[in-house]
Amino acid sequence: MRIAHRPAHRPRLARYAAGALLLALVAAPAPAAQAQPQAAAGWQAVPPPTTAGLSSYVPFDASSAVARSSVQTSVTCLPCEYEHTLWTRRAGTWRGLPLPPNDASTDVLTGTAPDDVWALGRSVRGHFDQYHWNGSSWTDRSIPKFEVLAARSVARGEVWAVGNYREGVGDTRGAVARWNGSAWTLTKLGTPGHWTNLKAVHVGSANDVWAVGSTGDDTSRPYAAHYDGTSWREVALPPVSSGLSASANAVVARGGEVWIGGIDRNIWSDDGTGAPRAFALRREGTSWRVTYVPVLAPTGDEDTDRLSVQALAYHDGTLWAGLYADRAKDQGLARWNGSAWEPVAAPGTTRGSEVTALYPTADGTLWANGLVYPRAYLKGYAASLAPGAR
């Protein structure tokens, strides 16, 4: 079953890429003087169910997942229009999954099994949706005014979702919702009168949950909040730029160490201030340190050299970052070596592949999902990295 519709809310960076990539299809070659990363050895591609690829892929284990394929149906992106198809994977075999009713959003997928799937986001009609699939039918579990931008199922019957809550015109609060198996509990975060968007959530345990995004007024700054099992508390973050716009897109915590990743300059509001940089804040104890992922073969052009951390995850004790880079860059991943970030090629088969999601599974496998050039068409891929592989 397929339904054509425009995508739900997308981050500014993604919307910019969708329009700009249609205007220039040839990327300038990188200067030969600077070495390029080695091929992404060890990654194994997930065979997609269709030539459209996998614009979303959420693994449950080594051979099961929920996924989405997307095909652009419009000639241009004013706006882009897509045809989406949902799939479940069981024992390595793909099966079609009916789309949620009422043209509901499928931009955010999560779940624990093919019969425990959530589809969340904002639909083309502007409705905020949270639907659950039990293996035979979809059930509407929507919270009015709550736009979900990220979600994680940590167990059957337990889901954490983050995004924003539309209090009224011009009043957008950050929000976290927890599904306990029968109902949502919603918590609003951020300062009233200031907009706040939450874009990522990490659930370490019932008393260790992190949510990150951005907040502000005329300019934005990274925002983080922590849940200790009783209440949410905003966590003060150091500045990552000098009075410019910045946003956090990813968070991961392990063994007392917390990492928050994002982008520290906005291509719309910070023109002429240098290329947007991919940052990663590291906390050990109570202090934070700012690190940056280097751009390979910089050209000096703000748009071409923009880089952003989109996802963070551990694999075999090593921290990995999923990156959005310009189409000219084969720079979809980076590894933290203990003192600096090492660029690594994306596991996608096309030059310019990005990594927008990283999922570790219980067997020690790391899964990556992202889009390939041109990103405007939402043709994506998924790949896995086995324990011990680098």
Side-chain angles (χ1 to χ4, degrees), residues 187-276:
T187 303
K188 301 172 189 175
L189 300 176
T191 304
H194 289 71
W195 59 262
T196 302
N197 272 340
L198 299 180
K199 300 178 181 178
V201 60
H202 171 83
V203 184
S205 66
N207 58 4
D208 183 23
V209 183
W210 286 83
V212 302
S214 58
T215 189
D217 193 358
D218 293 332
T219 60
S220 65
R221 62 175 175 83
Y223 176 92
H226 180 257
Y227 180 71
D228 60 6
T230 302
S231 62
W232 284 93
R233 178 180 62 87
E234 180 177 352
V235 177
L237 300 176
V240 297
S241 59
S242 179
L244 302 175
S245 298
S247 174
N249 304 321
V251 60
V252 68
R254 174 173 148 171
E257 184 176 78
V258 182
W259 285 87
I260 296 172
I263 185 168
D264 83 333
R265 288 177 185 171
N266 187 303
I267 58 177
W268 297 98
S269 62
D270 301 330
D271 184 51
T273 59

Side-chain angles (χ1 to χ4, degrees), residues 154-174:
V154 296
R156 188 180 290 268
E158 183 179 4
V159 180
W160 291 83
V162 300
N164 58 70
Y165 187 84
R166 306 301 176 90
E167 295 275 18
V169 178
D171 191 2
T172 302
R173 297 281 301 277

Side-chain angles (χ1 to χ4, degrees), residues 295 299 301-306 325-329:
V295 174
T299 66
D301 178 83
E302 290 188 13
D303 292 343
T304 300
D305 291 341
R306 68 185 184 273
D326 184 81
R327 61 189 180 279
K329 310 293 184 184

Side-chain angles (χ1 to χ4, degrees), residues 90 109 256 304 316 333:
R90 296 173 182 261
L109 297 175
T304 300
D316 286 345
L333 290 168

Side-chain angles (χ1 to χ4, degrees), residues 74-136:
S74 57
V75 177
T76 63
C77 274
L78 300 171
C80 300
E81 294 185 353
Y82 298 97
E83 183 180 81
H84 299 305
T85 306
L86 289 184
W87 308 89
T88 56
R89 192 177 184 218
R90 296 173 182 261
T93 300
W94 290 106
R95 296 181 180 179
L97 177 65
L99 290 171
N102 303 319
D103 198 25
S105 174
T106 59
D107 277 5
V108 178
L109 297 175
T110 191
T112 64
D115 61 351
D116 179 32
V117 173
W118 289 83
L120 317 94
R122 184 177 68 176
S123 73
V124 64
R125 298 183 300 168
H127 296 168
F128 303 120
D129 309 310
Q130 299 100 47
Y131 274 84
H132 179 253
W133 174 258
N134 64 4
S136 60

